[in-house]
Amino acid sequence: MSANQGMNRRQFIVSSALAGGGLLLACQLPFGRRDLLAATGSAFAPNAFLRIAADGRVTVIVNKSEMGQGVYTSLPMLVAEELCCDWSMVAFQASPVAPQYNRVSAPIMVTGGSSSVRTEWERLSLAGAAAREMLIAAAARQWQVAPSQCRAENGAILGPGGKKLGFGALAAKAAALPVPKKPKLKGGAGTLLGKPLHRLDSPAKINGAAIFGIDVSVPGMLTCVIARPPVFGAKVKAFDPAGALALSGVRQVVAVDAGVAVVADGYWPALKGRAALTIEWDEGDGAALSTPSMRAEYARLSETPGLVARREGDAAATLASASRRFDAQYEVPYLAHATMEPLNCFVDLKADSCLIRTGSQFQTVDRDAAARAAGLKPEQVTLETTFLGGGFGRRANPDSDFVVQAVQVAAAVRRPVKVIWSREDDMRGGYYRPMWHDRISACLDGRGMPLAWLHRIVGQSIVAGTAFEKGMVKDGIDRTSVEGAADTPYRIPNLQVELHTTKSRVPVLWWRSVGYSHTGFVMESFLDELAHAAGQDPYHYRRALLKEHPRILKVLDLAAGKSGWGAPLAKGRGRGIAVQECFGSYVAQVAEVSVDVKGEVTVHRVVCALDCGKVVNPDTVKAQMESGIAFGLSAALYGAITLKKGRVEQGNFDSYPLVAMNAMPKVEVHIVASVDPPGGVGEPGVPPIAPAVANALFAVSGIRVRSLPLTPENVLAARPGKA
Amino acid sequence: MILVVNGKEHAVKVDPETPLLWVLREQLGLTGSKFGCGEGLCGACTVLIDGAPQRSCVTPVKDVQGKRIVTIEGIAADHPVKKAWLAEEASQCGYCQPGQIVAAVALLKEKPRPTDADIDAAMSGNLCRCGTYGRIRRAIHTAAGTGGKP
Ligand code: FES
Ligand code: FES
């Protein structure tokens, strides 16, 4: 999921040729302003992204999934800015799955990689501009004046002598005009862009009206839960459905690839039916997996050279002749996405069609996988995107697990069916952020700055074995395994980063901020160690190593300044700093932390500075930083998925806790004013928080925790003189 | 069995052990109350039972017959808490928010001018994976000025 490339003009024209109308989807889909949409007769459909009705109402068709980040507001803002419409007349609608809604320059529809605004800015601006030019042309024609004498403002075209016509009145006439091949952006100061507009989807979300995948329902629908293997890779040997079938409300018990599916009138009878099943599993070798032995194996591997991902100078030779070297091993565990809405998928499969309603981040991939599972052609499958109760990467699975499973169930029952995952199913179902082991050795020059850094990374590849392997693995190196380390901006003259890619039955997946969630913690923690070893201030130490990176320096300075870096703190509190460049943005965070004698860490305050280039909506950007910090903090303080005899030891929020209201620090977000191209915001808030907290913990206590999470157990074990 | 939900009586035929959440969602079509954990650990399913917040995922429906049940759909759109939620833009993915709002309505009825400690005590069982806690706290303070009726 790489950075954006500019928009391809041909693609825009092709999009523009899409026929108008016919795009209003079933009412289960997310849409804003129910009243507005009902009235949208779509008098004017200049391109794939925009509809204007005869009454002037504007519908922006959004090709990105709404999972909290606010795309149903930010993307319409991009269109509306250039269209010069009346914002109060704007509604949104989820796009269907079609090539014109693919990610710019990619063959699939996808929401991920913090890329929505980055990739859509130009295409949606041009979509709005094209429609504006057509409305102007329609008005000019009607008034018999030159288009240059007219302009668009707040939903109307204004002409000479006080002439004025609303967009609605012009819609039908504009629709008859040719679509401009090269629409001109109006440029200048934005009327909408950069303003903290209210979210269009908030009313539906606070009234319980927003339809998430789990809320989908049609008459006659059945509900299903699946008994999945107790260990990864296990297979059903035999099962007895009698106990389940004897219960009222249970309709059918069927074997599917994922396990044994219990289909019932509702979730409760399905759950009871599942509990009444007898299943004999062939556990295979999956039952041998255990976290302690995996950790030991990773540690052993880290002693041996891996594939070289980056080489500058000669780190090994420099280290060999160093008078003093610093060695450390870092570990981070598997993590579950734990979206608040557990996985689910609705499928209505007929002989020659398949309707899917679910919260997907990966629509084209899921649709095609569904087609294969159903024995249909992709064009026979309709996938409608609902609201997503969180995504974080889990709903962008190259294996389309939750969709394929539901299609298989639907094929067996031939009735509309919704598969719901319990929280435990969701947490134990795999596709975790990989666990990692890092071994680093470094030495310093005469001024205390890093002279050599030898870094070995051990862990699973996210994309190995998927359709993305070809594009993302080069010479055996999955770039998501080493991003943030191999491309570190710190100036280190002798740098070597190596990778051991391990294989395991435990399925892994991108997890909000992908590789940076791991490397950010390791790099920023170990750099902090070196700063302290050199007797230097961690903030100034970083500054000295980032001289050629003005944008990183700016957020570093901003976060330090706003946090009062260097000023005395309340007794028992320490500050830690960390910075990360990722997804085209720059984030620095300063955390203020205390720790009690039992090793309990409290985070009191987080100051966050962000440079994400041009901003569409500063309030949703701020919200994404707050969100990334909370998400990263849950992982830093509590998060770990562990295995015992192949079984995942966590199941629900008691064993896999999230930061709650009483543990949430005060968060301040400062955004750098910028005219640079837009960067991502969904993920960059995550990586700095764990190292900022760990560094603050060291500052206040002298305890350097190198294994996440920062549980009292790990904190006490890391006390100096322990280990 | 008769349930009184948002001021309306509903006759439902269902296993009496079924958690209220699934009766609301599947029998009555009130999908605003969400399923997050099924164990009383996240608060996404919070509803008011005779004015008190309860986790409907662990409340057998037989226990609430005849009691006054209020769900997110039964809290008026112009309720001060909902207005404050919009003003502070508390929602991200929105999945936890119905439960948060119901819990906040209950808190403000109990404590019309809650302190931060009151908010911590009342709201820490309502998890939000999107981390909207700061905004929720602000929204509760905002709403507190204007009072809250259940
Ligand atoms: S679903 Fe009821 S508390 Fe989580
Ligand atoms: S807004 Fe997404 S879980 Fe709270």
Side-chain angles (χ1 to χ4, degrees), chain A residues 238-297:
Chain A
F239 70 98
D240 179 3
L245 289 170
L247 296 173
S248 97
V250 174
R251 298 295 190 103
Q252 231 174 308
V253 176
V254 295
V256 290
D257 288 348
V260 180
V262 179
V263 184
D265 290 337
Y267 181 73
W268 184 248
L271 209 56
K272 280 180 49 180
R274 180 169 72 175
L277 284 177
T278 326
I279 305 176
E280 205 188 320
W281 299 95
D282 175 0
E283 296 195 355
D285 59 4
L289 287 173
S290 87
T291 297
S293 61
M294 286 178 78
R295 284 172 72 176
E297 183 205 325

Side-chain angles (χ1 to χ4, degrees), chain A residues 290-373:
Chain A
S290 87
T291 297
S293 61
M294 286 178 78
R295 284 172 72 176
E297 183 205 325
Y298 278 30
R300 261 196 315 277
L301 263 177
S302 74
E303 291 169 8
T304 62
L307 289 178
V308 176
R310 167 96 187 263
R311 194 199 315 260
E312 295 293 329
D314 191 336
T318 313
L319 281 164
S321 60
S323 57
R324 187 171 173 209
R325 53 185 272 173
F326 303 89
D327 300 290
Q329 295 180 66
Y330 280 84
E331 291 178 291
V332 298
Y334 287 119
L335 292 172
H337 301 74
T339 57
M340 209 67 221
E341 176 195 15
L343 292 170
N344 59 76
C345 182
F346 167 89
V347 179
D348 187 2
L349 180 62
K350 305 250 166 64
D352 55 359
S353 72
C354 180
L355 171 65
I356 297 171
R357 288 181 176 143
T358 193
S360 170
Q361 298 176 245
F362 234 13
Q363 288 89 342
T364 316
V365 172
D366 288 343
R367 182 203 57 185
D368 292 355
R372 285 194 300 275

Side-chain angles (χ1 to χ4, degrees), chain A residues 380-404:
Chain A
Q380 293 174 297
V381 178
T382 304
L383 189 150
E384 296 180 351
T385 307
T386 60
F387 281 105
L388 283 65
F392 316 124
R394 183 62 181 90
R395 291 181 155 99
N397 186 350
D399 294 345
S400 299
D401 62 334
F402 62 101
V403 175
V404 168

Side-chain angles (χ1 to χ4, degrees), chain A residues 67-68 340 389-390 392, chain B residues 90-97 100 127-132 136:
Chain A
M67 46 197 188
M340 209 67 221
F392 316 124
Chain B
S91 301
Q92 286 188 28
C93 83
Y95 195 77
C96 72
Q97 300 298 343
Q100 306 276 4
L127 300 178
C128 173
R129 187 55 159 154
C130 301
T132 63
I136 290 174

Side-chain angles (χ1 to χ4, degrees), chain B residues 21 34-46 55-58 125:
Chain B
L21 174 66
K34 299 304 187 197
F35 168 62
C37 70
E39 298 281 350
L41 299 167
C42 77
C45 64
T46 306
R55 308 301 189 220
S56 64
C57 71
V58 288

Side-chain angles (χ1 to χ4, degrees), chain B residues 12 17 27 38 51 67 93 96 105 126 142:
Chain B
V12 294
E17 296 299 329
Q27 316 281 314
K67 299 197 176 166
C93 83
C96 72
V105 167
N126 284 82
T142 301

